[in-house]
Amino acid sequence: MVAELGAAGARWDADEAVTALYSEHYRSLVRLSALLLRDSMQAEEVVQDAFVAMHGAWRRIQDQDKALAYLRQTVVNRSRSVLRRRVVADKYAPTPGPDMPSAEHGALARLEGDRVMAALRKLPERQREALVLRYYGDLSEADIAAAMKVSKGAVKSHTHRGMAALRAMLEAEQTS
């Protein structure tokens, strides 16, 4: 069809020319763009935009024999623009926040925390101090020993006994 355009030597009306090009080359241009973009929906948009642009520029096209080449180049250029926009959008995309736990999860965690705190209050003072400094304060054994003014061995002993007592209280509470 494009060859007929050149052979006739006449300038077709933009509507007729673009319609002829569209019916003959639309699918191959979409395949070209889809190969570049890896997205057939966006490729269709690019090709449609290229045809609209060609229709608007039809009178300025010097050599209408090269209309298909002009159209292909337009599709390639517009596909490249889409790819550049993707890179920029990906670069500046907001990072998604962490998945939020459900309200039920929060309620259960709070209930479990309340149970642990109640059991912790029942422990002897030294065991409670050792556990709080270790697991809530995230201190090392040496730091706990310095804070409690005891040896590292005593810290290990208080921590071990406190954990055993806490576990026993929580298990007993669960079975009753």
Side-chain angles (χ1 to χ4, degrees):
M1 191 64 75
V2 175
E4 292 173 16
L5 260 174
R11 291 179 68 94
W12 280 20
D13 178 65
D15 291 340
E16 292 172 348
V18 173
T19 301
L21 286 167
Y22 185 90
S23 63
E24 193 170 330
H25 300 286
Y26 176 77
R27 288 186 192 144
S28 66
L29 291 170
V30 169
R31 282 193 304 268
L32 170 66
S33 183
L35 286 170
L36 295 171
L37 297 174
R38 296 184 186 141
D39 181 353
S40 59
M41 297 291 282
Q42 202 158 28
E44 287 181 7
E45 286 183 34
V46 164
V47 172
Q48 289 169 6
D49 289 345
F51 274 105
V52 169
M54 175 180 241
H55 185 273
W58 187 253
R59 291 191 178 143
R60 292 187 309 247
I61 296 175
Q62 301 288 319
D63 188 355
Q64 293 176 358
D65 290 338
K66 295 182 181 176
L68 181 57
Y70 171 85
L71 194 54
R72 277 193 192 110
Q73 190 61 50
T74 302
V75 168
V76 169
N77 288 341
R78 287 175 182 259
S79 296
R80 287 177 182 160
S81 292
V82 168
L83 291 172
R84 281 192 295 271
R85 281 192 298 271
R86 272 189 204 164
V87 168
V88 170
D90 289 346
K91 184 177 179 181
Y92 295 105
T95 56
D99 290 340
M100 298 301 293
S102 67
E104 180 181 87
H105 173 51
L108 290 174
R110 187 170 190 180
L111 181 63
E112 182 67 24
D114 290 346
R115 287 181 51 226
V116 171
M117 292 305 289
L120 195 58
R121 285 186 198 102
K122 294 177 186 175
L123 290 176
E125 184 179 339
R126 291 292 191 163
Q127 291 175 8
R128 184 174 57 246
E129 283 178 14
L131 290 177
V132 167
L133 291 172
R134 177 73 179 112
Y135 295 104
Y136 289 96
D138 201 28
L139 298 178
S140 67
E141 288 176 352
D143 292 337
I144 296 169
M148 292 177 65
K149 296 185 175 141
V150 295
S151 69
K152 285 186 0 181
V155 169
K156 289 179 186 180
S157 177
H158 290 309
T159 303
H160 178 74
R161 288 183 188 145
M163 284 299 291
L166 195 59
R167 188 177 303 113
M169 281 188 262
L170 292 172
E171 287 174 358
E173 185 180 301
Q174 234 177 4
T175 59
S176 59

